[in-house]
Amino acid sequence: MKVPVILIGESSDALTALRKQLEREPDFLVDGKIHSCDDAFQSLKAKAGPVLVIVDLSQNPERAFDTAQEVKFKLHNVHLLMTSPDSRPETILRAMRSGAEEFLTQPLHWPDVLNSLHTIRKKITIQHAKPSEQGRIITVFSSKGGVGTTTVATNLAVALAADKRTSVCLVDLVLQFGSVTSFLNLEASYTIVDFVKNLKRIDPLFLDGSLVKHMSGVRVLAEPFHAEDAARIETADIDQTLEALLQAFKCIVIDTPKEFDETTFVALDKAHLILLVTEMDVPSLKSAHRALELFDRMGIYQKKIRLILNRYVKSKYMSLESVEQTLGVKVFWALPNDYPTAIAALNQGLPILDTEAKSEIAKSYWGLANVVAERLHSSAEPQTDLESKKAGILGRWIPSLVAVRKGEL
Ligand SMILES: Nc1ncnc2c1ncn2[C@@H]1O[C@H](COP(=O)(O)OP(=O)(O)OP(=O)(O)O)[C@@H](O)[C@H]1O
Ligand SMILES: [Mg+2]
């Protein structure tokens, strides 16, 4: 497939020369127009498939960085390259943090340029391979703390990994105070901070070294050692981390914080399946209801959301049906309430499945893993937002997120 290329920059000689070279390349389809920062976003919004975008920083770097970030953050189909005569480490670092996959120093050396373009083209080919060849992301989320999100994420990951054909990576995106390693009694030597630092050189060997291996076979991408390091991880880093893991694992399970920030948003947006965890009390249900409303406003594809009712007990005051009525969604799975088993497993750093294999809760987790696996591999599986949403919804990302931060949504 020919990969479309869009050039962005203000009256740039480097881009004009680049366009001429690209016109001769059989694997790339360069847009005849060099776009200014002002019209770049509108032109890109109309493009549906993967597109390679080269942004020239040489004329007005601040404006170019803003444009690049906007494009990269709002449009998931964009693969970004940046070019500049300024090749100071801080400029290159800033480019990478803005989501650039490659940096081209000016004056441009055509063989290097071609090399970079082909590297990205290969990535695009892998990422757009048939769905069955790609990994799947399951994001476990709750807008209320303490309802069992981490318990669900860890136990589900372990149960999914029991099928040895399914490679599973469990990602702790609770970046400040994650607890996945405690739940599984793991000692991490590397964390997501190291992973992000080395995103450029990810290969099977590096992956093997930077993920902690649990005896179940689950690989864990651990939370940062220090809470303050969370701030060093940017949204684009999370996006690229998940992309890299998708190439290596069949299944990625993500534990998320209850806060709906950019990090959580990427995890929800990229998910093939969202497990929204709630308990059966009024505050939890109210919170779940608000989360569902927020998902809707943020354009998160409704059909990929599944409701998990944790600590379910039969009660004459509240039934499964009444929960479904209140929330307007079906309960996908109800996990029974068994605090002694859950807390004993937690305090030993073991999955519930290993401590009390015969308990109702362990059986329930096996059942959940089965239906999740079925759902992920069925042809009617939910789509990612990218595949399903209209450009108009994607365009609402940034304003909506800003509004969330301001408390307007
Ligand atoms: N089905 C269950 N029955 C009884 N107790 C449970 C069940 N699932 C989880 N728990 C217990 O609930 C508590 C909270 O669980 P967990 O830490 O997974 O919640 P969380 O939503 O991740 O919390 P946080 O907001 O702190 O991250 C733990 O003590 C856990 O053992
Ligand atoms: Mg948790």
Side-chain angles (χ1 to χ4, degrees):
M1 119 177 147
K2 269 181 183 267
V3 176
V5 183
I6 300 267
L7 306 173
I8 301 176
E10 315 294 331
S11 59
S12 158
D13 292 343
L15 290 188
T16 311
L18 192 58
R19 186 184 60 195
K20 276 197 189 129
Q21 296 268 25
L22 274 166
E23 278 166 354
R24 289 188 219 121
E25 286 302 315
D27 293 326
F28 300 95
L29 185 67
V30 64
D31 196 323
K33 181 176 172 206
I34 295 177
H35 296 265
S36 71
C37 288
D38 292 334
D39 74 14
F41 183 72
Q42 286 309 322
S43 318
L44 277 166
K45 219 169 74 169
K47 301 234 175 273
V51 52
L52 218 149
V53 173
I54 305 178
V55 178
D56 184 9
L57 303 171
S58 56
Q59 301 298 324
N60 184 349
E62 288 310 315
R63 179 83 182 95
F65 270 123
D66 285 350
T67 305
Q69 272 175 338
E70 184 189 24
V71 155
K72 181 72 193 170
F73 190 49
K74 286 186 186 171
L75 306 172
H76 263 188
N77 52 335
V78 163
H79 292 262
L80 194 64
L81 287 95
M82 287 188 182
T83 175
S84 171
D86 171 7
S87 60
R88 287 174 301 156
E90 55 267 36
T91 307
I92 298 178
L93 192 67
R94 192 170 167 201
M96 295 307 168
R97 288 200 170 141
S98 306
E101 292 169 46
E102 298 278 330
F103 185 88
L104 308 167
T105 308
Q106 293 175 24
L108 294 171
H109 181 236
W110 178 242
D112 291 344
V113 174
L114 204 54
N115 203 3
S116 297
L117 293 176
H118 275 294
T119 305
I120 297 186
R121 190 174 172 273
K122 266 188 230 151
K123 270 196 228 168
I124 292 176
T125 315
I126 297 170
Q127 283 170 18
H128 294 266
K130 284 191 198 97
S132 60
E133 294 162 21
Q134 280 202 339
R136 291 283 178 265
I137 297 177
I138 305 166
T139 298
V140 187
F141 174 77
S142 169
S143 47
K144 186 168 182 299
V147 298
T149 310
T150 310
T151 309
V152 171
T154 47
N155 283 283
L156 176 63
V158 168
L160 286 169
D163 177 349
K164 292 300 164 212
R165 291 164 305 174
T166 308
S167 50
V168 180
C169 181
L170 176 58
V171 179
D172 197 338
L173 275 194
V174 187
L175 294 177
Q176 283 198 332
F177 301 108
S179 54
V180 165
T181 47
S182 309
F183 268 68
L184 295 177
N185 193 21
L186 293 170
E187 199 73 50
S189 311
Y190 295 93
T191 75
I192 191 165
V193 176
D194 308 287
F195 196 91
V196 160
K197 255 193 243 158
N198 290 290
L199 270 171
K200 288 276 290 170
R201 53 166 284 251
I202 285 177
D203 55 35
L205 204 67
F206 174 77
L207 268 178
D208 205 49
S210 48
L211 304 173
V212 206
K213 190 169 184 185
H214 184 251
M215 59 193 169
S216 60
V218 171
R219 299 300 178 106
V220 174
L221 183 55
E223 75 280 11
F225 292 131
H226 308 291
E228 59 273 27
D229 285 343
R232 290 164 48 190
I233 300 175
E234 313 218 334
T235 317
D237 298 330
I238 303 289
D239 190 271
Q240 288 177 38
T241 296
L242 296 178
E243 283 299 331
L245 294 175
L246 274 173
Q247 308 313 319
F249 291 92
K250 282 217 170 136
C251 194
I252 295 143
V253 181
I254 308 178
D255 185 24
T256 56
K258 62 182 192 302
E259 291 77 25
F260 196 99
D261 57 11
E262 284 99 331
T263 304
T264 316
F265 186 68
V266 173
L268 292 166
D269 186 63
K270 287 184 91 71
H272 297 85
L273 199 64
I274 296 172
L275 301 182
L276 176 64
V277 184
T278 185
E279 285 183 6
M280 232 170 144
D281 55 82
V282 172
S284 300
L285 292 174
K286 249 187 170 168
S287 178
H289 191 256
R290 291 172 70 182
L292 285 166
E293 285 178 340
L294 182 58
F295 288 174
D296 189 39
R297 287 197 298 277
M298 298 294 286
I300 289 171
Y301 191 49
Q302 200 207 341
K303 287 190 184 160
K304 68 182 185 182
I305 303 165
R306 296 288 179 280
L307 188 70
I308 305 289
L309 201 52
N310 196 27
R311 306 191 71 164
Y312 169 61
V313 271
K314 276 202 176 120
S315 150
K316 61 179 177 180
Y317 301 108
M318 206 185 275
S319 65
L320 278 185
E321 291 70 30
S322 63
V323 169
E324 290 176 343
Q325 255 175 12
T326 312
L327 297 182
V329 288
K330 290 265 166 215
V331 173
F332 180 65
W333 201 260
L335 291 157
N337 184 33
D338 183 351
Y339 188 70
T341 302
I343 196 71
L346 178 50
N347 286 336
Q348 294 173 78
L350 290 169
I352 290 171
L353 305 165
D354 289 347
T355 47
E356 290 291 340
K358 294 204 172 102
S359 62
E360 282 309 307
I361 184 168
K363 286 185 207 152
S364 189
Y365 267 109
W366 287 119
L368 173 63
N370 261 333
V371 288
V372 164
E374 253 171 45
R375 169 63 40 195
L376 287 180
H377 296 114
S378 78
S379 54
E381 72 186 82
Q383 297 162 294
T384 63
D385 292 359
L386 182 61
E387 290 152 357
S388 65
K389 280 190 303 194
K390 298 189 284 287
I393 293 173
L394 276 171
R396 284 189 357 226
W397 272 23
I398 301 281
S400 308
L401 217 52
V402 171
V404 166
R405 278 211 224 96
K406 286 186 188 157
E408 290 166 9
L409 279 184

